[in-house]
């Protein structure tokens, strides 16, 4: 049974609102692995920036190509205004998220009934973390959307909607976009294989053709943009798993996903998830197994992030909805509690926490309209990749930020530029800008750095021109506010 049209309209309206109510930054990959790459592709703009992951062939062009196509369309329509470049990809992601919400409803409606489906749909819509992440241009977001789509065609016992080719194609696409998508699907594909009567047919006529088509397409796309044959998925695996270089970006204890990761992204849904896991029928155990397996596998890698386990959140929502439906007299109170307890974190993280690094780009954009922008030179003196770059400026402004590529050469005494800078900010600036003609016209920095380089700013004639709020919980190198300094013209 298809989901009713009003449900889709509601989901699209809600996710569009969701999109505009998320004005904060989450992680640098949101721009640097998608929009920045798209801005550089297709020879649309001969300026842009590719991070070390791209120069070392660790990422594939299939995902950024989606946004590059949008940029190209806007350019052909002569509508490539910077605001549209920022919002169109986000809105596209929001619409996809809405379709995924409705697919989740249809799946549960088919497996159970409309009432259970409504509760799952409600849990999905009021999840604070889904609200926070689902409209962002992250590979994790696309992986989650494709996982829901694939799930709706997964041949679970008692399902008539199962379609091996469709679900396998969607899983393969998710793996092309983010190779780690293979993790939650391992138990599901293995379970399907065990249940399948015609095992040879499944492998020869479905798995192999689907795999060849998706990997082949990915290879061709990457061949076009890298200029050579590259299997990025293999490089990605080597880097993150075999060499474990991901630890460069921080490491956490093995239990982090169990004690912090999953409890935080589930939020107040956690008791309902646990309750639903106990209640749910036997055939749903495969979904629970996928959640546990994914969390266990990710726990073995030292670098951990909330977004890595985002793709199992929809699985959890199935159990939350199941719990709500069985609460009988407490249904309304529980639903009200879920809605109200998720509203505050959703709005706070979407509108307040870490918004400065995006807001500051509006100030940088203004330098484009001020002629001649060729004279402006912006240096972002912040932890590297703190802000987006050309995708949020869209003019060939001279910009620079502190580099932080990991140690790819095996040099034991390697220290990245950002760490060298932070070990002695004043000394670094004086050495780097020994001549006044080299000085940037604008410096962007967190307020915590100001006292360290105050004498440099005063001596070189810099004046604070703007203060931008960033966060209520500053940590380490990240301050509560961002300052923009401009060099006084002589």
């Amino acid at each position: 049974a298809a989901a009713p049209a009003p449900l889709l309209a509601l989901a699209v309206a809600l996710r569009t609102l969701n999109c505009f109510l998320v004005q904060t930054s989450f992680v640098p990959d949101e721009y640097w692995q998608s929009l920045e790459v798209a801005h550089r592709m297709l020879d649309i703009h001969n300026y842009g920036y590719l991070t070390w992951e791209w120069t070392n062939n660790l990422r594939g062009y299939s995902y950024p190509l989606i946004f590059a196509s949008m940029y190209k369309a806007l350019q052909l329509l002569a509508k490539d205004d910077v605001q549209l470049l920022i919002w169109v990809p986000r809105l596209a992601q929001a619409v996809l998220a809405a379709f995924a919400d409705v697919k989740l409803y249809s799946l549960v409606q088919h497996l159970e009934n409309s009432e259970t489906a409504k509760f799952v749909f409600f849990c999905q819509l009021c999840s604070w973390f889904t609200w926070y992440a689902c409209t962002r241009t992250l590979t994790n977001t696309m992986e989650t959307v494709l996982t829901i789509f694939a799930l709706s065609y997964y041949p679970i016992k008692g399902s008539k909607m199962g379609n091996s080719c469709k679900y396998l194609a969607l899983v393969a696409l998710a793996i092309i976009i983010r190779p780690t998508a293979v993790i939650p699907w391992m138990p599901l594909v293995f379970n399907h294989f065990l249940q399948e009567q015609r095992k040879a047919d499944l492998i020869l006529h479905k798995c192999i053709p689907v795999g060849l088509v998706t990997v082949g397409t990915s290879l061709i796309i990457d061949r076009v943009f890298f200029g050579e044959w590259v299997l990025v998925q293999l490089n990605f695996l080597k880097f993150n798993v075999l060499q474990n270089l991901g630890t460069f970006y921080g490491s956490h204890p093995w239990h982090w996903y169990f004690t912090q990761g999953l409890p935080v992204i589930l939020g107040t849904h956690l008791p309902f998830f646990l309750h639903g896991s106990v209640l749910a029928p036997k055939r749903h155990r495969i979904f629970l197994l996928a959640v546990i397996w994914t969390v266990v596998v990710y726990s073995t890698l030292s670098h951990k992030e909330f977004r890595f386990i985002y793709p199992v959140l929809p699985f959890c929502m199935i159990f939350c909805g199941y719990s709500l439906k069985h609460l009988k007299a407490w249904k309304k109170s529980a639903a009200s509690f879920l809605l109200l307890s998720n509203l505050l974190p959703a709005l706070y993280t979407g509108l307040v926490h870490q918004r400065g690094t995006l807001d500051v780009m509006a100030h940088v954009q203004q330098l484009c309209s001020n002629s001649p922008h060729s004279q402006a030179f912006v240096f972002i003196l912040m932890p590297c990749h703190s802000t987006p770059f050309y995708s949020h400026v869209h003019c060939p402004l001279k910009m620079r930020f502190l580099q932080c590529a990991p140690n790819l050469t095996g040099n034991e005494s390697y220290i990245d530029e950002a760490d060298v800078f932070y070990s002695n900010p004043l000394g670094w600036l004086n050495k780097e800008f020994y001549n006044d003609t080299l000085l940037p016209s604008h410096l962007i920095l967190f307020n915590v750095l100001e006292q360290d380089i105050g004498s440099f700013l005063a001596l070189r004639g810099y004046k604070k021109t703007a203060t931008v709020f960033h966060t209520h919980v500053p940590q380490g190198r990240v301050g509560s506010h961002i300052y923009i300094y401009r060099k006084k013209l002589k």
Side-chain angles (χ1 to χ4, degrees), residues 26-73:
F26 180 12
V27 285
D29 279 15
E30 193 178 340
Y31 321 104
W32 291 93
Q33 307 302 347
S34 54
L35 302 183
E36 295 306 328
V37 186
H39 198 272
R40 179 77 192 266
M41 284 164 74
L42 296 177
D43 290 324
I44 305 175
H45 317 293
N46 57 0
Y47 58 96
Y49 190 92
L50 293 179
T51 58
W52 62 270
E53 288 102 328
W54 296 87
T55 50
N56 287 280
N57 303 357
L58 280 182
R59 302 276 182 166
Y61 279 98
S62 304
Y63 183 56
L65 184 59
I66 301 167
F67 304 118
S69 308
M70 293 175 195
Y71 286 173
K72 186 70 183 169

Side-chain angles (χ1 to χ4, degrees), residues 243-437:
Q243 296 173 306
N244 204 13
L245 285 167
T247 51
F248 180 79
Y249 294 108
S251 56
H252 300 78
W254 67 268
H255 56 76
W256 188 84
Y257 283 120
F258 292 97
T259 53
Q260 289 176 56
L262 200 58
V264 166
I265 72 167
L266 273 168
T268 51
H269 284 70
L270 183 61
F272 299 96
F273 167 63
L274 296 172
H275 179 230
S277 301
V278 176
L279 280 185
K282 217 174 183 178
R283 67 175 183 278
H284 288 30
R285 279 186 196 155
I286 186 64
F287 299 151
L288 187 60
L289 181 65
V291 175
I292 296 164
W293 163 261
T294 304
V295 176
V296 167
V297 171
Y298 272 120
S299 295
T300 63
L301 299 172
S302 42
H303 178 58
K304 299 174 175 68
E305 290 187 40
F306 292 113
R307 65 190 171 107
F308 293 170
I309 55 167
Y310 174 36
V312 299
L313 202 54
F315 291 84
C316 299
M317 292 304 141
I318 295 172
F319 296 100
C320 295
Y322 215 84
S323 165
L324 268 186
K325 183 194 174 255
H326 286 80
L327 283 178
K328 297 190 171 68
W330 294 92
K331 266 193 193 93
K332 275 191 176 161
S333 311
S336 305
F337 164 73
L338 264 183
L339 186 64
L340 294 171
S341 61
N342 277 273
L343 195 62
L344 199 64
L347 291 174
Y348 180 76
T349 56
L351 290 170
V352 182
H353 179 59
Q354 294 184 359
R355 67 169 298 143
T357 49
L358 288 184
D359 288 346
V360 82
M361 296 316 283
H363 293 269
V364 178
Q365 281 162 23
Q366 287 165 12
L367 301 176
C368 293
S369 47
N370 297 351
S371 60
H373 61 240
S374 55
Q375 298 307 304
F377 170 22
V378 179
F379 197 157
I380 300 163
L381 287 175
M382 295 155 100
C384 82
H385 304 131
S386 287
T387 66
F389 219 46
Y390 286 110
S391 66
H392 283 54
V393 177
H394 194 49
C395 78
L397 192 66
K398 188 182 178 186
M399 295 198 290
R400 185 182 162 188
F401 63 91
L402 298 165
Q403 299 288 327
C404 61
N407 184 7
L408 299 165
T409 55
N411 177 0
E412 284 179 21
S413 57
Y414 174 82
I415 308 172
D416 68 70
E417 186 181 46
D419 282 343
V420 174
F421 167 77
Y422 279 105
S423 64
N424 180 7
L426 195 59
W428 189 92
L429 286 170
N430 286 324
K431 190 178 168 189
E432 189 73 14
F433 302 111
Y434 57 88
N435 185 328
D436 274 13
T437 58

Side-chain angles (χ1 to χ4, degrees), residues 47 86 135 339 441 479:
Y47 58 96
I86 293 168
T135 64
L339 186 64
S441 60

